[in-house]
Amino acid sequence: MLMLAVVTVAALALWNYYDGLTRLASEGRHEIDLHVAHLRGLLAKYEPLPELLATNPRLIDFLRAPGGQESIEGLNRYLATINRISDAADTYLMDAEGLTIAASNWQAERPFIGRNFSFRPYFRDAMAGQLGRYFALGTTSRQRGYYFAYPVRDGDDILGAVVVKLDINETEHRWAQPGRIVLVTDPDGVIFISTRPEQRFRTLQPLDPASRARILASNRYPEAALAPLGIREHLHLKAADEDREGALFAPRLVQLDGDNAWHAAIPYLLQSRFMPDAGWQVHLLTDSRALIRESLRLSLLAGALIASASLALVLLRQRQEGRRAHAALAEEARAALERINLELERGVAARTAELTRANQRLRDEIEERRRTEQALRETQQALVQSAKLATLGQMSAGINHELNQPLAAIRTYADNGRLLLAKGRTEEVAANLAQILALTERMAKIGSQLKLFARKTSGEVSALPLAAALESAARLVAPALRQADARLEVEIPPGLEVRANDVLLQQVLVNLLGNACQAVEGRARRLIQIRAWKAEDQVVTQVCDSGPGIPDDNRQLIFEPFFTTKAPGDGLGLGLTISARISADMGGSLGVLPGSEGDGACFELRLPAA
Ligand code: ADP
């Protein structure tokens, strides 16, 4: 990429330079044509002048008889006039010996008159009867000039020659312009016109010794060193279109030696044209540095353009790639999010369903349990009730006796009272009535106890004095105690309170006392002992009897429902079961203490202390 850019820029610069050179060459060709035309015009202007002058009888007469009627001064003036009108440098007349006998510059500091120029080729040509043309550095004037000479004839005799010299300094001035060097070389390659004065009389190519000697001998360029200019050629451009005379040379790219290093570095476009009539070559050296600068500028511009275009391209690509990557990333993230979301939703749905199922199961279980509990409670209540009724049934005989006794006593007191009243012993009657009153009170008490026992309980617990609870229970089992002829010993510390339901507690105690009565009935020793004490946060109550006790095998079984060792009608086998259950419900327990058979049974009731 970079390589390509560099190659492109270099190619562009080279192409531009080459194209510029071609353009310069084309311009140069026009310019050189102009210079050639100018030189030709100049020469053409002066060429006929000597011939014209040679036909002048004054010149012929003077040459034929110098010092005759034509005065020298008059001729000099005439030549000066001609010279001024034709704008030539000098116009002069030479005799056959080559001696200048009249000249336009007769009044100048160093006039030509009296000087011999017979060595000049133009003189020799003229004396040979031809038009002499020659370029040389004037030996007297030290001015470069182009000489036209023409023979002055008198019939077939050649008396001398008339010469017109033209100045080329002005031409040089006219050609001078920056960035260009115009040179004109003679057939030997010696530069005799140059817009750069230091190049005058140097040669384009080194001269071979023979030519050098010949030129020096001709005295054409007196005191000229004829050192080579030193042209290094670099590039030969495509062959220039040959003109009619075939005199246009292909332009070349050159550098000049000498001068100084700076000038030596200047690449010039060298173009040359041959002038056949004069034998000269006109050269144009055009400074091509501007072209190089232009090419450099162009390549810089192109480089900058390519660089910025590449940069823009790279940025664009990067941005596109970035956008693509971003979009891909966003799409990926979105897909991942969707996936996770879906999984989450699925998970939540599954979990919710599971939870709903579990919840339903739980609700069902709770409902089931509630129903079971309800049934259990109902069963339990029914059991308690039936147990109570069973106990009541057991107690009914005793109760009957208990009620009949006071009734009989009341009747006796009432009978006695009627008799005593008849006898007027009112005081004794009053005593009998008091007895009756006491007895009815006792009966009423029994009734209320039974009512209390039979009633269904709400199950509420409260702080109860244990002694009172035992007393009312004992009152209920009093008939049984009497029937068994058992002795009840109670040892309860005063103020001992339990947290219990009064009805249920009474039921438990009645049951334990009832069983004890049955156990001691008919035994030699008939003692029932009740002891109670507080142990930490519980109250322990032991009901022990001197009955036969409980065999080890039955110790677990007695708390099972419907386990009984009693005759049908005497026991249902529910008393202990229900009592144990009631105790547990109230936060306590009921158990039988281990003891050897025959020593009697000992039940232990534990209840929370109040
Ligand atoms: P029931 O008294 O109707 O038989 P219980 O549940 O009250 O029902 O008693 C179950 C059994 O426990 C009795 O049948 C009896 O064998 C035994 N039992 C209960 N109390 C005593 C006791 N104080 N002495 C000996 N055995 C007892």
Side-chain angles (χ1 to χ4, degrees):
M1 179 73 182
L2 187 71
M3 253 331 255
L4 192 73
V6 167
V7 167
T8 306
V9 168
L12 193 72
L14 270 177
W15 169 80
N16 183 67
Y17 185 58
Y18 194 80
D19 184 62
L21 283 180
T22 316
R23 205 174 59 240
L24 269 192
S26 151
E27 284 169 16
R29 195 150 62 83
H30 289 303
E31 195 176 327
I32 213 164
D33 281 347
L34 280 176
H35 297 331
V36 168
H38 174 73
L39 279 177
R40 273 195 180 143
L42 196 69
L43 297 182
K45 179 182 163 192
Y46 291 98
E47 198 183 78
L49 196 56
E51 192 178 347
L52 196 71
L53 283 172
T55 56
N56 193 321
R58 288 178 73 178
L59 268 65
I60 301 165
D61 289 349
F62 190 79
L63 277 174
R64 201 184 294 136
Q69 50 187 234
E70 180 64 57
S71 76
I72 178 89
E73 196 184 324
L75 192 61
N76 279 344
R77 279 186 202 285
Y78 171 70
L79 288 179
T81 305
I82 296 295
N83 192 64
R84 184 166 45 78
I85 293 169
S86 64
D87 200 20
D90 296 296
T91 309
Y92 50 99
L93 185 66
M94 298 162 84
D95 65 9
E97 306 304 318
L99 189 73
T100 306
I101 51 176
S104 58
N105 64 352
W106 62 288
Q107 283 181 313
E109 213 174 289
R110 298 172 69 187
F112 290 169
I113 299 166
R115 301 189 70 90
N116 193 309
F117 297 120
S118 59
F119 63 93
R120 290 294 198 197
Y122 62 81
F123 175 71
R124 289 203 292 274
D125 287 346
M127 290 312 287
Q130 297 164 11
L131 173 69
R133 20 187 334 152
Y134 190 64
F135 180 84
L137 180 65
T139 45
T140 313
S141 63
R142 313 303 296 177
Q143 290 289 329
R144 288 162 302 157
Y146 194 77
Y147 303 85
F148 287 104
Y150 205 80
V152 181
R153 294 173 204 263
D154 182 20
D156 284 342
D157 298 336
I158 294 174
L159 307 175
V162 63
V163 182
V164 174
K165 179 187 176 187
L166 57 108
D167 191 0
I168 51 125
N169 277 342
E170 205 220 334
T171 305
E172 260 180 3
H173 290 317
R174 203 205 272 230
W175 288 347
Q177 55 177 308
R180 301 242 197 291
I181 304 173
V182 186
L183 306 173
V184 183
T185 52
D186 70 6
D188 289 314
V190 177
I191 298 164
F192 64 87
I193 295 178
S194 172
T195 48
R196 294 268 287 276
E198 72 273 13
Q199 292 176 348
R200 282 175 206 152
F201 309 118
R202 298 180 72 169
T203 59
L204 279 189
Q205 305 298 332
L207 287 172
D208 59 282
S211 307
R212 190 182 179 82
R214 179 171 48 77
I215 295 166
L216 288 176
S218 73
N219 208 12
R220 193 178 208 172
Y221 309 115
E223 292 165 31
L226 303 180
L229 188 61
I231 290 183
R232 279 171 288 126
E233 186 173 320
H234 290 291
L235 183 70
H236 216 87
L237 293 188
K238 72 174 167 37
D241 23 305
E242 304 283 303
D243 64 5
R244 282 188 307 279
E245 296 145 320
L248 186 71
F249 306 114
R252 288 166 290 165
L253 204 58
V254 300
Q255 282 179 321
L256 300 183
D257 277 347
D259 288 321
N260 51 48
W262 171 239
H263 276 134
I266 300 174
Y268 285 106
L269 183 71
L270 171 63
Q271 290 170 282
S272 310
R273 180 179 268 282
F274 183 55
M275 286 175 66
D277 41 0
W280 297 347
Q281 279 185 27
V282 180
H283 309 272
L284 177 68
L285 284 156
T286 314
D287 186 348
S288 71
R289 274 179 305 177
L291 272 184
I292 292 175
R293 275 197 294 273
E294 190 187 309
S295 294
L296 273 178
R297 256 202 305 276
L298 190 79
S299 48
L300 267 179
L301 194 75
L305 259 173
I306 288 174
S308 46
S310 316
L311 195 74
L313 213 71
V314 165
L315 280 180
L316 201 77
R317 225 194 7 260
Q318 258 177 7
R319 220 170 98 172
Q320 264 175 354
E321 258 163 35
R323 212 179 284 157
R324 253 206 301 278
H326 189 260
L329 217 70
E331 175 59 28
E332 218 167 86
R334 199 190 59 72
L337 218 70
E338 210 167 75
R339 216 161 41 240
I340 290 168
N341 209 17
L342 213 71
E343 266 166 32
L344 218 70
E345 264 172 26
R346 225 178 279 146
V348 166
R351 192 96 190 92
T352 306
E354 209 171 278
L355 270 173
T356 309
R357 270 199 305 278
N359 213 11
Q360 187 56 45
R361 247 195 331 268
L362 215 68
R363 255 206 305 275
D364 290 351
E365 269 171 28
I366 288 171
E367 178 58 23
E368 181 65 35
R369 202 186 162 104
R370 198 189 58 74
R371 267 202 302 274
T372 312
E373 264 176 17
Q374 178 68 25
L376 204 70
R377 209 172 306 125
E378 279 167 11
T379 312
Q380 193 179 328
Q381 270 167 8
L383 272 176
V384 168
Q385 205 55 27
S386 48
K388 274 192 213 168
L389 294 178
T391 310
L392 270 182
Q394 284 172 5
M395 292 194 298
S396 63
I399 292 163
N400 201 28
H401 171 76
E402 198 74 0
L403 289 177
N404 278 342
Q405 231 188 359
L407 264 180
I410 287 169
R411 195 177 293 127
T412 307
Y413 280 122
D415 277 346
N416 275 354
R418 206 163 47 186
L419 288 175
L420 287 170
L421 195 68
K423 285 177 189 163
R425 286 158 62 177
T426 52
E427 261 179 43
E428 284 166 78
V429 170
N432 272 16
L433 285 175
Q435 284 295 330
I436 289 170
L437 209 63
L439 284 167
T440 52
E441 249 170 42
R442 197 175 146 202
M443 285 172 78
K445 241 182 196 168
I446 291 170
S448 72
Q449 289 285 335
L450 281 172
K451 208 163 108 193
L452 210 67
F453 184 73
R455 136 187 131 198
K456 284 191 174 181
T457 177
S458 66
E460 267 175 45
V461 292
S462 57
L464 298 174
L466 185 62
L470 189 76
E471 202 178 312
S472 70
R475 210 170 284 138
L476 273 175
V477 294
L481 279 170
R482 239 192 314 282
Q483 188 187 322
D485 191 20
R487 190 159 58 91
L488 180 63
E489 281 181 16
V490 178
E491 258 180 69
I492 295 175
L496 193 63
E497 287 193 336
V498 293
R499 282 194 65 77
N501 178 276
D502 53 351
V503 177
L504 295 177
L505 177 59
Q506 195 182 52
Q507 190 179 347
V508 172
L509 290 174
V510 165
N511 192 264
L512 289 177
L513 282 174
N515 278 349
C517 289
Q518 281 179 328
V520 297
E521 192 171 359
R523 303 275 294 179
R525 196 166 159 253
R526 296 173 303 279
L527 180 63
I528 301 172
Q529 284 177 306
I530 297 176
R531 285 191 298 272
W533 65 93
K534 197 175 170 197
E536 293 180 1
D537 55 350
Q538 284 191 323
V539 171
V540 182
T541 311
Q542 282 184 352
V543 180
C544 303
D545 62 64
S546 55
I550 297 163
D552 282 345
D553 291 349
N554 290 355
R555 201 166 286 154
Q556 294 295 319
L557 292 172
I558 55 171
F559 292 100
E560 294 288 316
F562 305 109
F563 177 83
T564 180
T565 54
K566 293 169 190 170
D570 279 349
L572 272 176
L574 282 175
L576 284 179
T577 312
I578 291 168
S579 294
R581 184 65 199 248
I582 288 170
S583 307
D585 278 354
M586 288 190 300
S589 61
L590 177 65
V592 64
L593 294 180
S596 56
E597 208 177 327
D599 272 358
C602 212
F603 287 87
E604 188 175 88
L605 172 67
R606 283 173 176 267
L607 286 171

